[in-house]
Amino acid sequence: MTPTRSDTVTLGEKGLNVPLSRGDAYFNYYWLRDNDPTSFNAETRERSFDIFHLDTAPVARAAHVDGETLVIDWATEDHTTRMPVAWLEEHAGGERRRDPADLPRRPWFGDHYPDVARFTHAELKADPGKRRAWLEAMIVEGVSVVTEMPDSDAALTELAELQGQVRPTFFGTYFDVRTHINPTNTAYTASALELHTDVPAEEHAPGIQFLHMRANTVEGGRNLFGDGVAAANDFRRIDPEGFRLMVETDVPFYCEHDDYDMRSWQRIIELDQYGEVSGLTISQHMLDLMDLPQAFLDDWYPAFCRFGKLLQDDKYIMRFTLKAGECIVFDNHRIVHGRAAYTASSGDRYLRGCYTDRAEMRSTYRALVSTGRFKS
């Protein structure tokens, strides 16, 4: 097709050029037809137009700018598209649609505990502004403490559902951490629990963890929490080759007992779409048989140990005692956590936990802070 000009819009074979404030911008015909405002149902906010039903590729017969609107008459169907020029300005560059939940992570270190974001259970339930601040802290720092938790199972459910839906794992919908006569997990003993992320053996480990301390009168058992982002960022700087091995190598994790045998392959250090460290998957007591070439392990294992030792450095680890009535909420793909040993006969220690997903947390945050694509 020979390009023609209609008013100030230039038509081509596969798309058109529209004059915008930054200069002429090209838009594909399929994209324009698929994103016609009339292609969406205002109530469901979903696309109701099915581009698969077009008999031929969309081509404009004519197009022009009418004030602040691009008007397109289609040659291939009896339809006219009207699109706001301001909306085209916003999407002319082909960049990802802006995500209000795409906030930069703020690394923290072992002295951070006094500054951890804190909210009461009641205010999070009652105040959307507090809920927004809570979710923002979770996205940016990956950890928060909720205080004045009622001593009930329902309180934990209420808190988790302020972010999303409680997400079951093969351990169940909830888990109770106390000493067990026949433990199936190190957490169910009074022994020390090394720094780790939870449930690495699941193909998609849950993203957000809630630990509600219901009773804690034992001697010992201090909580250990560290920011995997801070440690991995430093590891990248001081040991680039070790960092590369942790980022690029899929390693096996497992969790098995009488009635389950869960296995997965994960990366120790995880990167986001920008190449920045987004978190970790690490658990020494659930690392499976490293069935990788032995010569490769000559390099991988020393790098793994160097990173593990760095992660345990006092520089990165907060040490504190979670009190009864407090719930620590944290990003299970970013924050490593553990526990010092305690004396089981010295008192009572009971912690109830559950998980939600990071995607649902970010969804809730977006709904609180933005108008979305179709809200008025």
Side-chain angles (χ1 to χ4, degrees):
M1 177 183 294
T2 302
T4 60
R5 178 174 296 276
S6 176
D7 294 333
T8 58
V9 178
T10 303
L11 305 184
E13 183 178 359
K14 296 181 178 180
L16 52 75
N17 285 276
V18 183
L20 301 177
S21 60
R22 68 185 76 179
D24 280 7
Y26 174 78
F27 296 93
N28 170 268
Y29 286 140
Y30 278 103
W31 185 90
L32 289 165
R33 184 64 184 90
D34 209 26
N35 288 285
D36 185 315
T38 65
S39 295
F40 297 85
N41 183 296
E43 293 182 349
T44 66
R45 303 180 191 175
E46 296 176 346
R47 184 181 278 104
S48 53
F49 168 72
D50 190 345
I51 203 165
F52 300 154
H53 291 171
L54 292 180
D55 294 329
T56 58
V59 175
R61 175 187 298 110
H64 66 279
V65 174
D66 181 11
E68 299 301 319
T69 304
L70 171 67
V71 181
I72 306 171
D73 293 319
W74 296 102
T76 49
E77 57 177 322
D78 184 17
H79 182 75
T80 299
T81 291
R82 292 176 173 82
M83 306 188 80
V85 172
W87 189 84
L88 293 171
E89 291 266 11
E90 186 177 350
H91 299 286
E95 297 92 358
R96 286 193 178 199
R97 186 160 69 95
R98 179 186 171 275
D99 182 357
D102 187 13
L103 302 174
R105 285 171 288 274
R106 183 163 56 236
W108 50 262
F109 298 89
D111 59 355
H112 183 59
Y113 188 66
D115 298 319
V116 170
R118 287 171 170 80
F119 305 88
T120 69
H121 182 267
E123 69 185 2
L124 288 178
K125 288 178 61 179
D127 186 344
K130 292 290 186 181
R131 197 152 59 246
R132 168 180 172 167
W134 176 48
L135 298 177
E136 185 167 312
M138 288 297 304
I139 295 170
V140 173
E141 296 190 344
V143 65
S144 65
V145 173
V146 180
T147 61
E148 300 179 24
M149 291 281 293
D151 185 17
S152 68
D153 292 352
L156 180 59
T157 303
E158 290 171 348
L159 181 63
E161 289 182 349
L162 293 176
Q163 285 196 6
Q165 299 299 312
V166 176
R167 196 271 218 192
T169 70
F170 59 93
F171 288 126
T173 306
Y174 297 87
F175 56 92
D176 296 294
V177 180
R178 47 163 60 109
T179 53
H180 291 234
I181 295 175
N182 296 306
T184 59
N185 189 286
T186 307
Y188 301 155
T189 72
S191 301
L193 190 60
E194 99 290 342
L195 293 167
H196 65 284
T197 59
D198 264 24
V199 208
E202 286 213 352
E203 183 177 357
H204 302 289
I208 304 297
Q209 184 167 177
F210 297 73
L211 297 178
H212 177 196
M213 188 65 76
R214 302 280 288 275
N216 192 6
T217 58
V218 297
E219 295 177 4
R222 294 190 80 192
N223 301 92
L224 312 175
F225 275 71
D227 185 4
V229 166
N233 283 343
D234 284 354
F235 191 60
R236 181 182 224 166
R237 176 177 51 81
I238 64 179
D239 191 346
E241 177 59 17
F243 179 86
R244 184 189 67 79
L245 288 168
M246 296 303 100
V247 165
E248 295 182 358
T249 307
D250 291 317
V251 298
F253 291 92
Y254 78 102
C255 189
E256 68 177 57
H257 216 260
D258 294 342
D259 56 355
Y260 54 81
D261 184 350
M262 189 69 72
R263 309 181 194 189
S264 75
W265 289 74
Q266 311 287 352
R267 304 283 175 94
I268 299 297
I269 297 177
E270 303 164 3
L271 304 182
D272 64 15
Q273 68 267 30
Y274 307 111
E276 299 295 328
V277 175
S278 59
L280 308 179
T281 297
I282 192 165
S283 177
Q284 180 60 9
H285 65 262
M286 289 186 179
L287 186 66
D288 205 350
L289 171 69
M290 287 294 293
D291 47 1
L292 294 169
Q294 294 295 311
F296 176 79
L297 296 180
D298 288 346
D299 293 325
W300 186 88
Y301 252 119
F304 178 60
C305 290
R306 290 194 300 272
F307 179 58
K309 289 177 181 178
L310 177 75
L311 194 62
Q312 295 173 351
D313 192 286
D314 287 343
K315 174 182 177 180
Y316 304 103
I317 306 304
M318 302 189 299
R319 290 174 167 82
F320 58 94
T321 298
L322 196 64
K323 301 174 183 177
E326 294 180 333
C327 182
I328 190 161
V329 187
F330 57 99
D331 186 334
N332 183 51
H333 287 263
R334 170 176 175 177
I335 308 302
V336 291
H337 67 289
R339 181 196 67 212
Y342 65 91
T343 305
S345 60
S346 64
D348 187 21
R349 190 180 194 276
Y350 169 39
L351 186 152
R352 185 168 174 83
C354 69
Y355 305 96
T356 60
D357 279 324
R358 287 196 294 187
E360 289 192 358
M361 178 188 72
R362 294 190 181 109
S363 168
T364 303
Y365 178 76
R366 293 184 194 105
L368 285 169
V369 304
S370 70
T371 57
R373 286 187 66 183
F374 305 106
K375 293 181 184 177
S376 58

